[in-house]
Each structure stands twice: as C-alpha cells, then as structure tokens.
Amino acid sequence: MACLLVLIVSAMLAGCSSIMRPPSAAAFMSSCEKDAAVVNMSLALYGGDLDNNDEHYNYHKDMSESYSEWVLDLSEIVFWNKEFFSIGLGAQSVTPFAQLGFVSPYFGLSAWSSIYSPFNMGNYVKDDFWKDVSFGTMMIQQIPVGAKAKIGLTEHFSRNGAERYLSESKEGFMALSFPEPHPLFYYEVGGGFFASYQLEGVMLALEFRYGRDLDNKRNRFAVTLSAVGMKGKKSANEKMQEEERLKNLEKEKEEAEERRKARELQSLEEYEEWQKMNVGN
C-alpha cells in the first residue's frame, strides 16, 4: 500500500496523463463492510473500434494529429470503508484518480474522477476546469451464489480519454517537429457483468464491459481481471460468520468423538460376546 501511495503522489506531482476508463466494479463492491483498507490490482484488456496509429492532417491549422488508445492498463486502488460508504485512491496506468460511493452487499453506486497535478492547478482554474478530466458514474447490482461466489451487473456513463499528439508542420532545413500530448475525450454509455470468487486471503474477479462511444459512434469492449486483498479488522457480519463457522467445527468434532466412542463400545461388546462364546465351547 505504501508503494501505491508513492506511485499516486509521484504521478500527481509529475502532472501525468488525465485519461482513464471506468475502474473495476468488483473491486468497489468488495470494499463493503470492511473497517479498514481493501487493496485491489486490476489488469484490463481493451478491444473494439480503437483509434490506434490513426493519422490525420488538419489543413487549417497546418498540424498533423495522431490518435492512440491504450490496449492494456494496470490499475491499483486502495478503498477505505465505513458502513455503507467507501472512498478509494488509486492510479490507472499513469493517471491518478479518486473513487467514492454507496456500497452494500447487493447494490452499489459509484463515481470517479481523474486527479489534477497540484503544480498545474492554477491553469486549470483559469481555464475550463472539466476540459481535461476523465470522470463517470456506475450503478452495480450484485447477487451471492453460495458462500464464496458472486455475480453482478453494471451500467455506466463516463467521460473517457484517448492519447492525442499534435505536430506542427515546419518548413526549412533541419526543421524538426515534435509531437505534444493533448488528451482527446469522448462520452461513453454501456454496461457489463462480473463474477468473483473468494479464496483464502484474496478475491479473484473477471469482468466484461461494453461501451458505446457517443461522440465518435464507436463500440468498445473491456475484459478485466482483478485481485482483491482484504486488510484491516473484520466487520460485525464477518465476525458473526466466523463465530458460526467455529461453532459448527466444534460441533462436528464433538459428534465425531461421540461416534468414535460408540464404535469402541460396540467393538468391546462384540469382543466380550465372542469371548463368552469361546469359553462356553
């Protein structure tokens, strides 16, 4: 967790990218009823109509524009939960972001936003504050399947970003043109589903999400694999379940001991009966 905080602070101070896509729904739902930190790491693979290595030329501005969308990204986030409210701080690739919302065992409502670098905050306040921000909201429904597995559905609306590089065309001998990053944002609406399974000390989740790019009329997909580690104290519900589990184990031990004694007594009686029969003969 300390490494994650160092990464986030470094990204904020360096003024890294502000583009991101919707974070993991399963990770947010896993923070329910935890008294302390819940740590998540997610690897997402993107597909669909992506603008990768797509070159354009703007004749009015005399500039070359190149678009590129990430195909993979690695996300890390730490959640802190208090009853039905969770807040998280994390990074998606090189984009620091914050996430918060309402969370319960069966329903969640989450919102997120990328975080500006403190060094450039003055420029953002003077300009349009939301011009270079990724943000969104997600509604989540979750159903337990047995004691360890869960499945869920999601619906989201978000402002995502893609990398955009501008190069001004220059004429003359030894004239060099260096591309400069300028995020390209678009609005997306979509939904998906996920399945999670609780192992000893870690929860694994697999998610699929579909999104429709409203600005460019494109279809986009995401497959996310998440690993969630539970840190901190156990909730009242978890303590109750643990106590119930220990009681059941103790009861099973007592019943097994009674069965063992009954078998020994039965064997002893059969042995004594056998001895009587032999003595009589």
Side-chain angles (χ1 to χ4, degrees):
M1 187 165 59
C3 295
L4 172 60
L5 294 177
V6 170
L7 173 64
I8 295 170
V9 172
S10 300
M12 291 175 62
L13 295 179
C16 291
S17 174
S18 60
I19 67 172
M20 65 174 294
R21 294 177 171 115
S24 169
F28 178 74
M29 294 300 288
S30 69
S31 66
C32 178
E33 297 183 340
K34 301 297 183 300
D35 293 335
V38 177
V39 183
N40 166 255
M41 293 192 68
S42 302
L43 180 64
L45 172 65
Y46 301 104
D49 301 323
L50 303 181
D51 271 331
N52 286 322
N53 302 319
D54 196 2
E55 296 282 348
H56 303 278
Y57 189 80
N58 190 325
Y59 292 95
H60 298 286
K61 295 183 179 180
D62 197 32
M63 287 184 177
S64 174
E65 299 178 326
S66 174
Y67 300 90
S68 179
E69 294 189 48
W70 296 345
V71 178
L72 282 170
D73 72 42
L74 179 66
S75 300
E76 312 86 18
I77 187 167
V78 179
F79 286 105
W80 292 271
N81 172 265
K82 186 63 177 178
E83 296 180 353
F84 294 108
F85 181 79
S86 287
I87 183 170
L89 188 64
Q92 189 177 101
S93 292
V94 291
T95 304
F97 71 96
Q99 185 178 5
L100 54 84
F102 170 85
V103 59
S104 72
Y106 305 101
F107 178 79
L109 183 61
S110 169
W112 64 88
S113 173
S114 58
I115 301 175
Y116 279 129
S117 169
F119 288 127
N120 297 325
M121 185 59 70
N123 296 331
Y124 299 131
V125 173
K126 292 178 184 177
D127 204 347
D128 182 3
F129 184 81
W130 296 105
K131 184 182 70 172
D132 293 325
V133 176
S134 296
F135 57 84
T137 182
M138 181 180 294
M139 193 161 54
I140 310 166
Q141 302 87 41
Q142 180 175 261
I143 302 174
V145 182
K148 296 184 177 182
K150 296 174 184 174
I151 58 174
L153 298 174
T154 66
E155 303 84 33
H156 74 273
F157 174 78
S158 60
R159 187 180 192 238
N160 304 342
E163 294 285 8
R164 179 191 184 197
Y165 298 93
L166 297 181
S167 297
E168 184 175 357
S169 300
K170 297 181 180 181
E171 298 180 356
F173 180 70
M174 295 294 291
L176 299 177
S177 177
F178 296 98
E180 296 181 2
H182 295 273
L184 177 68
F185 293 95
Y186 60 91
Y187 289 95
E188 177 182 292
V189 62
F193 62 89
F194 65 88
S196 63
Y197 190 82
Q198 181 66 50
L199 299 174
E200 187 67 28
V202 65
M203 184 197 78
L204 298 179
L206 183 64
E207 305 179 46
F208 174 83
R209 186 178 68 248
Y210 163 77
R212 177 65 176 176
D213 181 342
L214 301 179
D215 295 277
N216 304 295
K217 304 299 186 290
R218 294 173 176 267
N219 297 314
R220 290 180 166 86
F221 307 91
V223 179
T224 305
L225 178 63
S226 300
V228 184
M230 309 299 179
K231 302 293 182 182
K233 301 177 182 178
K234 294 181 179 178
S235 65
N237 187 35
E238 288 180 317
K239 290 178 181 178
M240 186 183 304
Q241 292 178 354
E242 183 68 16
E243 291 175 358
E244 187 68 23
R245 188 178 70 85
L246 292 176
K247 287 180 181 179
N248 291 336
L249 288 175
E250 189 64 28
K251 184 178 179 181
E252 290 176 1
K253 289 181 180 179
E254 292 176 357
E255 292 176 350
E257 182 65 19
E258 290 177 0
R259 289 193 298 269
R260 184 186 66 80
K261 290 180 179 179
R263 285 195 299 269
E264 289 181 353
L265 181 60
Q266 184 179 5
S267 299
L268 180 61
E269 291 175 350
E270 291 176 353
Y271 176 73
E272 291 177 350
E273 186 68 25
W274 177 80
Q275 266 191 333
K276 289 179 182 179
M277 292 176 62
N278 286 340
V279 170
N281 294 333

